[in-house]
Amino acid sequence: MSREENDSIKEKIQQLKEMREAIILAHNYQLGEVQDIADFVGDSLDLSQKASQTDAKVIVFCGVHFMAETASLLSPDKIVLLPDENAGCPMAEMVTAAELREMKKQHAGASAVCYINTTAEVKAECDICCTSSNALKVVSTLPEGKPILFVPDKYLGSYVSTKSGREFVLWPGYCPTHQRIVAKDIVKLKEHYPEAKVIVHPECRSEVVALADVALGTGGMLRYVKESEDDAFIIGTEIGMIYRLRKENPLKRFIPATEQAICPNMKLITLEKVLWSLEEMRFRVTVPDRLKDAARETVEKMLNVS
Ligand code: 13P
Ligand code: SF4
């Protein structure tokens, strides 16, 4: 796309956004061009908080389906649009409500906690949900002496279990994108850049997390880098994160753990699709009435803890 075409799309998005009284929210993994036109860029927790607080009539959610669904749960009177209806999260699809009900049956009395990367149907079955940034805090509010059923991410669950010392029953879900980051990549990069701090997302494999200086969600990574006196960082997460880290810290160096950690679903959202979304008011994301109250309660409990 030429620079003129790009500018013209941005201008049209701006005009339509005002006309529709819309806000554009974007996740940290979105393409740079999408992050640049967003009103707010953040991690899953930041975005759900923004969605619950905005006065806008329309939320254009540049992220994946479960994020738009969470926005719709928290802002039921608003129109929530996902610019590409195929932008899903494969990890969120790895556990169904029926499977979770069966798990609950086998562990009666346990607390059921879901990662925010789940469908509304699964959220409706849980006591509380969490993101990678507040998982430890959420777990600390749960009754002692009872196991914690955690779905769907086995790596985040295992990380929080180790950190909290609580007994977790894990579901075998994982993020196919973070799975692509392997220990030997980190070992090699550490040899090459011994001065660099290693920061990885807790969705990474346990052996990758064990090699890192720190495991943080995407919002935590931004705060850590800003406050750190170091100037080089090996980053183990989806590649889109590097764009925001570099933009906000131009004097620091960021080395991706691998160029392979691309979330194809996050990359489905483009500037053109944001424009079409606002022009045609598509693709609207809603939650079935039968699930709304229970799923919202699960998310609101998490927001109260945060
Ligand atoms: P964050 O909440 O850390 O942004 O993570 C969301 C996500 O989908 C990571 O893969
Ligand atoms: Fe889902 Fe992984 Fe993509 Fe995050 S990076 S949205 S967990 S597939």
Side-chain angles (χ1 to χ4, degrees):
M1 196 191 317
S2 72
R3 201 195 167 117
E4 287 73 28
E5 282 168 332
N6 203 50
D7 287 348
S8 145
I9 291 185
K10 283 187 191 164
E11 211 171 290
K12 285 185 194 155
I13 289 175
Q14 196 54 38
Q15 284 165 1
L16 270 170
K17 214 178 70 175
E18 282 164 30
M19 196 177 107
R20 305 271 196 216
E21 296 181 54
I23 185 174
I24 300 178
L25 302 182
H27 186 265
N28 290 322
Y29 295 160
Q30 288 290 292
L31 292 172
E33 62 183 32
V34 174
Q35 294 193 26
D36 289 345
I37 49 108
D39 295 292
F40 183 80
V41 185
D43 67 10
S44 313
L45 178 64
D46 301 331
L47 293 170
S48 59
Q49 282 166 334
K50 270 277 168 223
S52 70
Q53 291 156 1
T54 180
D55 300 327
K57 292 199 172 131
V58 176
I59 300 173
V60 181
F61 211 112
C62 302
V64 290
H65 190 270
F66 77 82
M67 297 180 176
E69 200 175 52
T70 306
S72 170
L73 277 174
L74 295 169
S75 293
D77 52 334
K78 299 198 164 75
I79 295 174
V80 179
L81 304 173
L82 184 64
D84 188 310
E85 64 182 337
N86 295 314
C89 167
M91 174 159 69
E93 302 300 328
M94 286 181 188
V95 65
T96 64
E99 286 167 330
L100 177 56
R101 277 195 294 272
E102 187 52 40
M103 193 185 187
K104 281 165 52 174
K105 225 187 272 169
Q106 283 171 15
H107 300 273
S111 304
V113 182
C114 60
Y115 194 18
I116 196 164
N117 299 41
T118 40
T119 59
E121 202 166 17
V122 167
K123 288 188 176 79
E125 293 287 337
C126 288
D127 296 307
I128 191 163
C129 90
C130 71
T131 73
S132 54
S133 71
N134 62 16
L136 267 169
K137 214 175 195 181
V138 164
V139 162
S140 74
T141 67
L142 300 173
E144 299 274 351
K146 283 181 169 186
I148 294 164
L149 310 184
F150 190 82
V151 294
D153 187 5
K154 62 178 174 181
Y155 294 123
L156 176 65
S158 141
Y159 173 74
V160 181
S161 167
T162 308
K163 283 269 174 192
S164 64
R166 299 288 301 264
E167 183 194 345
F168 271 50
V169 181
L170 301 173
W171 187 257
Y174 61 91
C175 163
T177 298
H178 284 85
Q179 176 102 333
R180 289 177 155 241
I181 303 169
V182 293
K184 77 172 181 352
D185 293 335
I186 307 282
V187 172
K188 239 195 245 162
L189 287 170
K190 274 171 80 142
E191 277 168 20
H192 215 85
Y193 302 96
E195 74 288 10
K197 279 271 179 304
V198 180
I199 313 176
V200 304
H201 199 282
E203 285 178 17
C204 287
R205 297 163 182 270
S206 304
E207 63 272 23
V208 167
V209 173
L211 286 167
D213 292 295
V214 61
L216 295 165
T218 61
M221 288 184 185
L222 282 155
R223 285 187 289 276
Y224 181 92
V225 163
K226 247 177 219 162
E227 285 162 18
S228 169
E229 285 177 5
D230 293 293
D231 72 353
F233 304 88
I234 295 165
I235 303 294
T237 193
E238 208 276 342
I239 201 81
M241 193 60 210
I242 302 282
Y243 177 82
R244 181 145 184 223
L245 285 165
R246 287 190 178 139
K247 187 174 166 183
E248 293 186 12
N249 304 277
L251 300 177
K252 299 193 174 190
R253 279 181 304 144
F254 300 98
I255 303 118
T258 170
E259 303 278 348
Q260 310 287 313
I262 299 169
C263 176
N265 290 283
M266 285 281 180
K267 298 322 187 226
L268 285 174
I269 316 286
T270 59
L271 264 191
E272 287 97 328
K273 288 182 193 166
V274 173
L275 175 61
W276 300 333
S277 174
L278 278 162
E279 278 176 347
E280 294 165 30
M281 295 298 278
R282 64 177 194 187
F283 295 90
R284 191 151 177 195
V285 175
T286 54
V287 179
D289 283 342
R290 69 187 167 84
L291 300 172
K292 272 182 184 160
D293 290 345
R296 186 183 312 121
E297 202 181 312
T298 300
V299 179
E300 276 175 351
K301 274 194 207 152
M302 169 192 79
L303 291 179
N304 292 338
V305 168
S306 307

